[in-house]
Amino acid sequence: MSPHTDSVTSVDARALWTEAMAAARLREASFTTLSGDELRAVYGPEDVDLDSERDLGWPGQFPFTRGVHPSMYRGRLWTMRQFAGFGTARQTNERFKFLLEHGQTGLSVAFDFPTLMGYDSDDAIAAGEVGQVGVAISSLADMETLMDGIPMGEVSTSMTINGPASILLAFYIAAAQNQGVDPAAIRGTVQNDILKEYQAQHAWLVAPEPALRMVTDMMAWCSEHAPQWNTISISGYHIREAGSTAAQELAFTLANGMEYVRRGVAAGLDVDAFAPRLSFFFDSHLDFFEEIAKFRAARRIWARKMREEFGARDPRSWMCRFHTQTAGVSLTAQQPENNIVRTAFEALAAVLGGTQSLHTNSMDETLALPTEKSVKIALRTQQIIAEETEAAHVADPLGGSYFVEAQTARLEAEAEAAFAEIERRGGVVPCIEAGWFQREIHRSAYAYQRAVEAGEKRVVGINCYTEEEDSQASIELHRIDSSVGEEQTSALGALRERRDDAAVRRELDAVREACRGSENLLERFVAAAHAYCTLGEIAAVLREEFGHFKEPQIL
Amino acid sequence: MSSAADIVERLRAGERVAVARLISWAENGDARFAEALGSVFEDVGRGRRTGITGPPGAGKSTLTNELTGLQRAAGRTVGILAVDPSSPFSGGALLGDRIRMEERTSDPGVFIRSMASRGSHGGLARAAIDACDVMDAFGYEELLVETVGVGQAEFDVMEAVDTVVVVLCPGAGDGIQAMKAGLLEVADVLVVNKADVAGAERLLTDLEDAVALRRRAEGAWEPPVVACSAGRGEGVEGVWEAVEHHRRWLAEDGRLRARRARLRIAQVRGAVAEGLAARLWGSGGLTERARSLLEEGGTPYDVAADLLSAVSARVVEPEEVSGS
Amino acid sequence: MTDRKIRVLVGKPGLDGHDRGAKTVATVLRDHGMEVIYTGLHQTPEMIAEVAAQEDVDVVGLSILSGAHMELFPRVRAELEQRGLGEVMLVGGGIIPPEDAAALEAQGYARLFGPGTPTEEIAEWIKARMGERLAAEGGGA
Ligand code: B12
Ligand SMILES: Nc1nc2c(ncn2[C@@H]2O[C@H](COP(=O)(O)OP(=O)(O)OP(=O)(O)O)[C@@H](O)[C@H]2O)c(=O)[nH]1
Ligand SMILES: [Mg+2]
């Protein structure tokens, strides 16, 4: 590794630099990353202890530090996947058809709050929230409307749903069957990462243990009947957005990933039968180099764990493939146009970090759901990176950078320390029940807020370069039609009239039986879906049988 | 601005906001409280008071919630006081116990009040007993008092309730530490919560042995040791059965009356001590005198003796003292 | 010997799970000497008003990022009034477009603080407002 120069000279050079540095006048500023890492002024060979064969490999090779594909973006660019959805199934269906006609092949579904939480649109608790931040899907009938005229054997659909993921997937499977499409032909993803719900996003249905059973039931069912379906997207994004540092995001996400693997194995599945269908979802924040290092460290750690600890043999089981979203929480309501620039840096970090797909946030992030115009700018940002910069021409362009390699190694070491801490506290689920993750995340969020208010962490428009005049008023807003709720409610009322009540009762009883026994729950949900049992009805049975999760008191 | 009479009238009319307001007055040291309490004090004493104490995170709130469920099923109303620590730095507090009791929020037969410990260091708040008195006067039948998560020596709850339930759980050696520290001394019922967690069995037998080994006076109460999983709602009936058992024991030989008398004496002593302290030190005169005596080279004991003799004759005439 | 603290309820009404802001604000208010009751997530307006009644709070603070603010603020206000708690100060924050914030404030539903507001500013505002109120209540306490 050492350069071919005379080593005495290089030591002298470093000593000289150290001296010059000590004498230099420095700016009044903090040089610490969001993870609290005190950065050095420059990094050199002494700062990295790297065995390139062991720690880097080549792209597409273990431990995949440099990327999961040999050709990286020369083969195929990352997928530009903008997450969206609102209103009724019919409105979203129209939008999907429009997108498909314009060449998009993948659909991405955002659900509204009632659906995310497992309530029907006509539940009293849903008042004012139906169709507001995503599409409302209360039964197979809504799913049929959503996918009407869309060939379900051909498109790939990503559904951002967790607590009731199995129920929504059951609606999807049933809708496909009604189109004459076999589950073996459906392609797509459900987020279905329940662990991070308790830790960060808080849209859960029942307590962790039964929820994990639903996850393993889905893994088992899909590996047999729907082998092209991705069963979990293990998400650090939510953990980070809830306030964690990059180091915590990395550690907690991978700890969750390992927990799913353990559960799958404990349920009797062969690790290579399901691990290739696991993928990840990370955040890309503004600490540019630390973020890039985080993506690289994630691949390295996952590969090592899967091969060495879990004995996976299929290289696809070792690969940490991931989607990235830029950091919504880094965006400001003040001078919102600046958000375009922030998002561009974050997107670039994701690309330099080797992401498989990317969502870029829109400049109106803090105001409401984005308008078409702002979404288009966000998408163009990705296209500019892909087409106009040479970022996509070379795999892992920052590999070998002293700084980035040192950060990668540091993050890996910090993650290992966190894994040990979680283990010491009894594992992921006990840590959730005790509120440990939640408390750690809250502390980081609070520290960040303090740092911003104290001016240690600079944010343009917030604590420097502020403007008197509020420029947010100049931005056009996305508004949701409030009649969505009424439309959904009356459609649901009609469905309840028309369906076969006896069949509904029979299927709900069967779900209840399955909860008490060991029958595969997804199998039962598909049957219940065909009888037009609603999301809320099925979820109510689960809540009754499995019990609620009460959030631990962490403040 | 309501008067004490107004609030008492609303309390008698069954308005829960009156309960809430009276408790605030007690907490804030509002002069109207004493007046209001005076007019309802004859109604105080019907409620049964149970304290729930134990180390942080042992499951006190979860157990309180479960016990409340049992009482409600049996048709009894419940008043809950949940105390959390105040920040020694800001004096503020985050009161979060009621998150665990959320399902009770809409039950008209349950009243939950969160209280910050403010200046108190004994695991309760100064106004804890007042709050119980108010809930009692309103008619809540079962009063449950959750203390802050206690460590070694915060046992005010002993002087505030009829029955003290000490909740422990396996892990982190808490159980044994707590025993040594004296939680065992104050317990009328010992609960091993989180029986579903590894180490519970061991904690249970350790506690049983410790109870058996302790020497106690003839006829003294021997605390039963009960296991439960409050988080799963399992074994909670056993905890309540133990509380009832202690109550039956208290009911004999005038023990309950004696215990409550002791409680009130302690409360009076506390109030007197507080009042005296405020009067003695409030004007700053005594502090000044102490400072100058110390500067003259007196030992702390010399100085204390001097101050005591200076005030002892006049202690019943506080105005004069504060004028000194 | 009065010991008057500002009591604040920080609540999360509706199905919204965004709690980063609520928890941060709750902690900051604690650091400013207030006694803060945090309800946890997923509360109905009835539950929030009921807790406010039992806890005799001075301030109810709601955090809403779900877009349901036009539904939830008025409902919480109505529930408070129904319990005779009309004078409780209602404040809030979250994702509330400026026109909506202006409308809610104009109708007297609440005082709102949007993204990027320094939490110090929120705490100072509450303290100042409560200071005025307590002074108006006079030496009664
Ligand atoms: C972080 C975040 C998340 C995290 C939440 C983590 C957590 N535990 O909180 C994650 C990634 C999990 C998430 C998920 C979702 N999110 Co989100 N999220 C955000 C984001 C980026 C930042 C919010 C934040 O925490 N900011 C930091 C805190 C400190 O600021 P704050 O909450 O605004 O608080 C400040 C003020 O508002 C005020 N304040 C706030 N509360 C209170 C309370 C009181 C009493 C007072 C006085 C003041 C006050 O003071 C604070 C300090 O300045 C916003 C967009 C944005 N940039 O604001 C979107 C946003 C809120 N999310 C949105 C959506 C749609 C979702 C999802 C529904 C997506 C989906 N369909 O799956 C899910 C739902 C999750 C759920 N269960 O609720 C939308 C909401 C759209 C709308 N309202 O119209 C937003 C606006 C993004 C967008 N433009 O699309 N999200
Ligand atoms: N495994 C298990 N966990 C439990 C049980 N009871 C409570 N818990 C968990 O223990 C944690 C603490 O419970 P709380 O009821 O809040 O404990 P507490 O003693 O009131 O805590 P503080 O008021 O903070 O001192 C929570 O995460 C509960 O879910 C139980 O029976 N089994
Ligand atoms: Mg508690």
Side-chain angles (χ1 to χ4, degrees), chain A residues 386-438:
Chain A
E387 306 296 346
E388 298 185 18
T389 77
E390 84 280 46
H393 297 358
V394 177
D396 189 31
L398 288 167
S401 144
Y402 299 131
F403 177 35
V404 171
E405 293 297 355
Q407 292 281 64
T408 306
R410 175 183 63 83
L411 287 169
E412 182 174 12
E414 282 187 35
E416 286 295 344
F419 300 153
E421 179 67 13
I422 293 165
E423 180 82 32
R424 195 176 72 78
R425 291 172 179 274
V428 171
V429 171
C431 281
I432 285 172
E433 286 169 344
W436 183 77
F437 292 107
Q438 299 91 314

Side-chain angles (χ1 to χ4, degrees), chain A residues 111 113 200-201 328 365-366 368, chain C residues 17-20 63 65 67 94 113 117:
Chain A
F111 294 96
F113 272 108
Q201 172 158 260
E365 171 77 10
T366 66
Chain C
H18 293 91
D19 63 356
R20 178 178 179 157
S63 179
L65 290 85
F113 302 89
T117 314

Side-chain angles (χ1 to χ4, degrees), chain B residues 83-307:
Chain B
V83 186
D84 268 321
S86 293
S87 157
F89 307 107
S90 70
L94 275 164
L95 309 172
D97 286 319
R98 51 180 318 140
I99 292 186
R100 301 253 127 223
M101 311 176 195
E102 182 188 291
E103 64 194 285
R104 312 293 164 203
T105 303
S106 338
D107 179 347
V110 180
F111 185 95
I112 307 175
R113 178 60 175 243
S114 314
M115 192 177 267
S117 61
R118 299 204 180 168
S120 300
H121 301 291
L124 283 182
R126 191 181 49 78
I129 296 176
D130 296 331
C132 288
D133 289 345
V134 172
M135 294 191 288
D136 193 343
F138 183 84
Y140 290 106
E141 295 159 293
E142 291 291 346
L143 305 179
L144 303 178
V145 181
E146 180 187 338
T147 72
V148 308
V150 297
Q152 311 260 311
E154 297 113 326
F155 303 134
D156 282 358
V157 66
M158 210 176 127
E159 307 283 8
V161 298
D162 305 332
T163 302
V164 175
V165 176
V166 170
V167 186
L168 301 170
C169 72
D174 286 348
I176 305 302
Q177 279 305 106
M179 282 186 321
K180 283 200 190 121
L183 263 176
L184 205 62
E185 308 292 322
V186 302
D188 297 309
V189 174
L190 275 161
V191 173
V192 173
N193 186 35
K194 310 195 187 181
D196 51 292
V197 167
E201 200 52 44
R202 178 70 203 278
L203 176 58
L204 193 71
T205 51
D206 282 356
L207 285 171
E208 282 165 354
D209 293 349
V211 169
L213 286 171
R214 262 187 66 219
R215 272 190 294 169
R216 64 172 54 76
E218 190 71 27
W221 171 254
E222 179 167 320
V225 187
V226 197
C228 74
S229 278
R232 304 178 173 202
E234 287 162 12
V236 188
E237 297 81 2
V239 175
W240 193 253
E241 180 42 44
V243 171
E244 296 273 21
H245 187 190
H246 182 244
R247 283 183 182 174
R248 286 194 293 274
W249 179 82
L250 276 180
E252 294 161 14
D253 303 331
R255 291 187 187 110
L256 179 63
R257 188 177 318 165
R259 182 161 181 151
R260 288 187 170 181
R262 198 181 75 204
L263 179 162
R264 291 299 179 192
I265 292 286
Q267 196 185 358
V268 169
R269 290 174 68 142
V272 169
E274 205 181 299
L276 270 181
R279 289 171 183 194
L280 287 173
W281 305 104
S283 71
L286 279 193
T287 309
E288 268 320 300
R289 180 161 174 163
R291 197 191 315 280
S292 62
L293 289 175
L294 283 167
E295 269 165 19
E296 284 163 27
T299 71
Y301 299 105
D302 296 338
V303 178
D306 176 274
L307 298 195

